[in-house]
Amino acid sequence: MNGEGGARHILSILVENRFGELCRIVGLFSGRGYNIDSLCVAPTPDPAFSRIILTTNGNDAIMEQIIKQVGKLVRVLEVADLNEVDHVEREMALLIVKTRNPAERQEVLNLVGVFRAKVIDIAPDAITVETTGSQDKVDALLGLLKPLGIQDIVRTGAVAIPRISAARGRDETRGPELVVPEADSAV
């Protein structure tokens, strides 16, 4: 796989909100052997556009090629590597944890409190927890709950946005600064 071994990157891609756009971008990644680790898509405040936030891995040369290729797609308006700007990111996870006795139940509730997570469902033998935070925070909570017996996990993957200080001076409804390098046929 082309992207193995490189750093984790978060790409913010603004596209026209038309059917098939996500498919074209995902097809570009799979066609060139780049893995998408997580993917989130939603309309922007202007429903004519959608923002795709995806995470992938690659070194600087690979990321440059990915950005160039994505930028060449007709309905892609902006591509930005958020690793290049100060940004905030969050991930959400929902998980079901077994609780076989009151002591385990209390241990789960204590961890939920420490990590500022939420209990969103409860049964005599299990608790459903919602946690939001950085990937490291979510991973840390999962690591502590794993010995108790996690029955199921659903994770969103990263969503991210430039910090306000990085976004000033540009149209805030459009997202990160436009980064569409010149086309390169090397990929």
Side-chain angles (χ1 to χ4, degrees), residues 63-134:
M63 294 312 302
E64 182 179 343
Q65 291 302 313
I66 288 173
I67 290 171
K68 285 179 181 176
Q69 293 299 312
V70 171
K72 287 190 330 187
L73 296 175
V74 173
R75 294 187 185 115
V76 171
L77 304 172
E78 294 178 356
V79 182
D81 184 347
L82 293 181
N83 289 35
E84 296 179 0
V85 297
D86 196 14
H87 66 277
V88 290
E89 65 178 272
R90 294 292 182 267
E91 181 173 322
M92 187 175 90
L94 302 176
L95 52 138
I96 299 173
V97 185
K98 288 183 190 174
T99 56
R100 291 176 283 268
N101 55 54
E104 286 184 354
R105 179 180 303 263
Q106 189 58 50
E107 187 174 351
V108 171
L109 294 175
N110 290 343
L111 290 169
V112 165
V114 168
F115 281 82
R116 297 182 188 168
K118 296 177 187 172
V119 172
I120 58 172
D121 193 20
I122 195 161
D125 60 345
I127 296 176
T128 302
V129 176
E130 171 191 323
T131 184
T132 303
S134 68

Side-chain angles (χ1 to χ4, degrees), residues 23-40:
C23 204
R24 290 166 19 121
I25 290 170
V26 170
L28 184 147
F29 273 77
S30 66
R32 287 165 176 79
Y34 301 128
N35 192 38
I36 296 174
D37 295 324
S38 70
L39 180 67
C40 293

Side-chain angles (χ1 to χ4, degrees), residues 2-31:
N2 288 338
E4 287 184 1
R8 174 179 174 261
H9 290 263
I10 301 173
L11 297 184
S12 175
I13 305 167
L14 183 66
V15 298
E16 291 181 23
N17 192 5
R18 294 186 180 188
F19 70 91
E21 290 309 306
L22 177 61
C23 204
R24 290 166 19 121
I25 290 170
V26 170
L28 184 147
F29 273 77
S30 66

